[in-house]
Amino acid sequence: GEDVEQSLFLSVREGDSSVINCTYTDSSSTYLYWYKQEPGAGLQLLTYIFSNMDMKQDQRLTVLLNKKDKHLSLRIADTQTGDSAIYFCAESRGQAGTALIFGKGTTLSVSS
Amino acid sequence: DTAVSQTPKYLVTQMGNDKSIKCEQNLGHDTMYWYKQDSKKFLKIMFSYNNKELIINETVPNRFSPKSPDKAHLNLHINSLELGDSAVYFCASSRDGTGNYYGYTFGSGTRLTVV
C-alpha cells in the first residue's frame, strides 16, 4: 500500500520535547523528509535523512530512523509556541519522476 | 525572490466554470508537480512533469489538465468545476525529479472554493 502513517495530534507544553512518529511503507525509500506547514501557508522542508543513516541532528531537531521497522521520528527539543503547526513525514523512492508520498500530518499544539 | 510562485492565491468560483492556476519556478529545476490538499490536510500527488514531459498522472478526473509550456512553468486547468474540487492546490519543483538531498520546494498554495 501507499499509506505513510502518522498520529494525527500531539499536544505539549512550552519547553517540553515533542516526538512525532511516522511509519513509512517502502523499504527501498532512499530519502525521508519532515515538512512543516503553518496555518494558511505552504510546506517548508525542515530536515531529511538518507536511508543509510540512523540519526541526524540539526539544532533543536533530531531525526531517528529505524529502517528495519520502517519507523521515522522527529524530536523537537525545547518546543516553542512558534512550533505549533502540522508536521508531515514524506518518503521518496529516489527515482527520477517519482513523487513524494506524504503522511496525513501530525498537528502539534504547544501551550504556554 | 519567490522560488515557486502560484497565482492566484485564492480562487472562488461557481460550479460548472473553467479555471486555471499558474505556477512558475525560478530555481532551474527540471521537475514540477501538482499536489492537492483536501479539507483533512491530506496531500496527494496529481501530476508531475519532467522537462515538459508528463511523468506522473495519478487517478485524477480528466477535467483536470496540466500544461507545461516550458520547464519553468506548470499550469493546471480545470473544466466544469465541481463542489468536490474545493481544496488547496500546491505546486512544487525538484532538481532532477528525485528530490534527493533538497527535497521538493513548494509554492504557497492556491485555495480553490467552488460554490
Side-chain angles (χ1 to χ4, degrees), chain B residues 9-58:
Chain B
K9 191 169 172 63
Y10 300 97
L11 184 53
V12 181
T13 188
Q14 290 189 326
M15 278 175 54
N17 283 351
D18 302 339
K19 289 293 177 186
S20 291
I21 307 172
K22 295 187 177 184
C23 179
E24 176 182 3
Q25 54 96 1
N26 62 5
L27 298 165
H29 287 175
D30 286 336
T31 308
M32 296 183 72
Y33 310 81
W34 279 108
Y35 278 82
K36 179 181 179 180
Q37 186 174 44
D38 63 22
S39 58
K40 294 182 180 174
K41 305 297 184 186
F42 184 45
L43 282 152
K44 185 118 171 113
I45 181 69
M46 299 174 70
F47 301 105
S48 142
Y49 266 76
N50 182 270
N51 240 333
K52 301 195 296 175
E53 182 185 343
L54 182 65
I55 301 296
I56 295 174
N57 183 354
E58 289 294 310

Side-chain angles (χ1 to χ4, degrees), chain A residues 71-91:
Chain A
H71 184 263
L72 183 73
S73 68
L74 174 69
R75 179 177 181 269
I76 306 172
D78 187 25
T79 314
Q80 302 298 306
T81 53
D83 294 325
S84 294
I86 303 175
Y87 291 80
F88 291 93
C89 164
E91 61 175 334

Side-chain angles (χ1 to χ4, degrees), chain B:
Chain B
D1 286 344
T2 305
V4 180
S5 59
Q6 297 178 226
T7 54
K9 191 169 172 63
Y10 300 97
L11 184 53
V12 181
T13 188
Q14 290 189 326
M15 278 175 54
N17 283 351
D18 302 339
K19 289 293 177 186
S20 291
I21 307 172
K22 295 187 177 184
C23 179
E24 176 182 3
Q25 54 96 1
N26 62 5
L27 298 165
H29 287 175
D30 286 336
T31 308
M32 296 183 72
Y33 310 81
W34 279 108
Y35 278 82
K36 179 181 179 180
Q37 186 174 44
D38 63 22
S39 58
K40 294 182 180 174
K41 305 297 184 186
F42 184 45
L43 282 152
K44 185 118 171 113
I45 181 69
M46 299 174 70
F47 301 105
S48 142
Y49 266 76
N50 182 270
N51 240 333
K52 301 195 296 175
E53 182 185 343
L54 182 65
I55 301 296
I56 295 174
N57 183 354
E58 289 294 310
T59 307
V60 173
N62 57 15
R63 297 181 295 103
F64 289 78
S65 53
K67 285 189 173 45
S68 182
D70 55 61
K71 74 173 194 176
H73 295 83
L74 180 62
N75 304 323
L76 183 65
H77 188 75
I78 316 169
N79 288 329
S80 303
L81 277 154
E82 300 177 358
L83 293 177
D85 298 332
S86 296
V88 181
Y89 292 85
F90 286 100
C91 178
S93 70
S94 66
R95 285 169 66 125
D96 58 3
T98 67
N100 293 349
Y101 292 115
Y102 302 100
Y104 294 19
T105 303
F106 282 82
S108 56
T110 296
R111 182 174 293 276
L112 172 64
T113 304
V114 182
V115 298

Side-chain angles (χ1 to χ4, degrees), chain A residues 2 5 23-24 44-45 51 62 69 71-72 79 100 103 110:
Chain A
E2 279 200 357
E5 300 288 340
T23 303
Y24 61 98
Q44 172 197 353
L45 177 63
S51 59
T62 303
D69 294 337
H71 184 263
L72 183 73
T79 314
L100 286 183
V110 183

Side-chain angles (χ1 to χ4, degrees), chain A residues 10-12 18 20 76 79 83-87 106-110:
Chain A
L10 177 64
S11 183
V12 301
S18 308
I20 302 171
I76 306 172
T79 314
D83 294 325
S84 294
I86 303 175
Y87 291 80
T106 299
T107 298
L108 174 64
S109 174
V110 183

